[in-house]
């Protein structure tokens, strides 16, 4: 599916994004990852695949004209990081290690878009399935995962050291199976319609 008409881009996370990622990271998590952990993922972990989402076009503020002029001149304006996500590809399994969206930008489909991009990339790389852990209390994230065909496979007791909370271990079916792909196409299509409808162009 073509990502080019969407109002957001999803691109590989780079070192220069880490500072913005950390700002988002501090908001939602009880145990945020450190900038050092992200640097390790980007520089030293061969199995990691991390992405950021940002607006495709720089926000039109009071200086909208100037922004458009700079864009047409090709002057680099990088819109802010609105969300990020990552997975580790090991033994044919794409394990989603993190996903988060800037609090003010939630409920606009960005989390979904990041998940779709990760599932697409994992499939391209030959992953057989995608897995993850999520706090039992995090119903918001669970809804997102259920929407994309993840199912609970195990309850991991006392999984989170910060709060002693249990985790649901979730997994998709085989990513290339007709069942998964048919459902994936449907939800993705609906997301594309929603995102292009709310385009900020
Ligand atoms: C989970 C998270 C990434 C979702 O991002 P988002 O951009 O707000 O989500 P989207 O707008 O793409 O919503 C996609 C789906 O997620 C679910 N969802 C998102 N927000 C929800 C909410 N407040 N309540 C219930 N379900 C919600 C819904 O199923 C939604 O689909 P719908 O729009 O058809 O109802 C975001 O809430 C977040 O950053 N949370 C904090 C970090 C976190 O918990 N990460 C997961 C760790 S496992």
């Amino acid at each position: 599916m073509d990502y080019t008409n969407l109002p957001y881009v999803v691109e590989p996370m780079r070192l220069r994004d880490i500072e913005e990622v950390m700002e988002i990271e501090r908001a939602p998590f009880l145990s945020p990852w450190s900038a050092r952990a992200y640097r390790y993922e980007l520089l030293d972990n061969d199995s990691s695949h991390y992405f950021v989402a940002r607006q495709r076009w720089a926000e039109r503020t009071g200086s909208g004209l100037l922004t458009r002029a700079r864009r047409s001149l090709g002057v680099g304006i990088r819109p802010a990081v609105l969300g990020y996500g990552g997975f580790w590809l090991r033994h044919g399994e794409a394990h989603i290690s993190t996903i988060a969206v800037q609090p003010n930008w939630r409920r606009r489909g960005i989390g979904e878009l990041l998940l779709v991009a990760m599932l697409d990339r994992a499939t391209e790389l030959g992953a057989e399935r995608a897995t993850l852990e999520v706090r039992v209390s995090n119903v918001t994230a669970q809804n997102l995962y259920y929407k994309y065909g993840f199912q609970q496979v195990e309850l991991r007791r006392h999984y989170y050291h910060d709060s002693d909370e249990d985790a649901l271990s979730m997994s998709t079916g085989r990513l290339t199976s007709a069942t998964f792909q048919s459902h994936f196409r449907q939800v993705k299509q609906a997301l594309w319609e929603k995102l292009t409808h709310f385009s900020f162009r």
Side-chain angles (χ1 to χ4, degrees), residues 15 24 96 113 139 195:
L15 286 174
I24 302 174
I96 295 178
L113 181 63
V139 176
L195 290 179

Side-chain angles (χ1 to χ4, degrees), residues 146-186:
Y146 283 125
K147 184 170 178 179
Y148 278 81
F150 284 81
Q151 294 296 329
Q152 180 186 336
V153 288
E154 198 187 337
L155 180 69
R156 300 201 168 174
R157 297 269 179 213
H158 315 292
Y159 183 83
Y160 295 99
H161 299 302
D162 52 16
S163 57
D164 203 32
E165 190 171 349
D166 299 341
L168 295 186
S169 207
M170 302 183 86
S171 177
T172 60
R174 203 158 46 79
L175 291 173
T176 51
S177 70
T179 317
F180 181 86
Q181 282 298 322
S182 144
H183 175 72
F184 189 45
R185 262 194 304 276
Q186 266 178 39

Side-chain angles (χ1 to χ4, degrees), residues 4-177:
T4 53
N5 285 326
L6 299 180
Y8 308 109
V9 284
V10 177
E11 53 192 26
M13 188 188 289
R14 297 180 199 286
L15 286 174
R16 64 186 180 207
D17 297 322
I18 291 178
E19 205 173 306
E20 287 178 86
V21 165
M22 291 307 298
E23 279 169 34
I24 302 174
E25 179 84 7
R26 281 183 205 107
F29 295 102
L30 282 174
S31 305
W33 286 15
S34 63
R36 195 168 153 198
Y38 278 102
R39 273 196 296 277
Y40 167 79
E41 293 295 335
L42 300 188
L43 294 174
D44 298 318
N45 187 350
D46 291 342
S47 64
S48 74
H49 301 268
Y50 280 73
F51 303 90
V52 293
R54 47 176 114 243
Q55 269 182 283
R56 185 174 296 278
W57 303 283
E59 191 112 45
R60 283 182 203 168
T61 55
S63 58
L65 265 180
L66 177 64
T67 304
R68 280 198 296 282
R70 289 176 72 188
R71 191 192 311 144
S72 67
L73 288 170
V75 177
I77 304 162
R78 274 188 317 125
V81 170
L82 304 178
Y84 58 89
F87 67 88
W88 299 309
L89 183 61
R90 288 178 190 146
H91 312 298
E93 189 176 293
H95 188 81
I96 295 178
S97 54
T98 187
I99 181 168
V101 171
Q102 215 264 358
N104 295 334
W105 285 83
R106 288 187 190 158
R107 297 251 62 174
R108 300 188 198 205
I110 298 173
E112 236 182 287
L113 181 63
L114 280 160
L115 185 62
V116 165
M118 289 195 280
L119 292 172
D120 272 343
R121 186 69 187 126
T123 309
E124 269 169 29
L125 293 170
E128 205 167 300
R129 60 191 71 241
T131 59
L132 53 84
E133 271 91 34
V134 56
R135 289 175 195 269
V136 286
S137 63
N138 195 348
V139 176
T140 298
Q142 287 164 33
N143 284 345
L144 168 63
Y145 305 141
Y146 283 125
K147 184 170 178 179
Y148 278 81
F150 284 81
Q151 294 296 329
Q152 180 186 336
V153 288
E154 198 187 337
L155 180 69
R156 300 201 168 174
R157 297 269 179 213
H158 315 292
Y159 183 83
Y160 295 99
H161 299 302
D162 52 16
S163 57
D164 203 32
E165 190 171 349
D166 299 341
L168 295 186
S169 207
M170 302 183 86
S171 177
T172 60
R174 203 158 46 79
L175 291 173
T176 51
S177 70

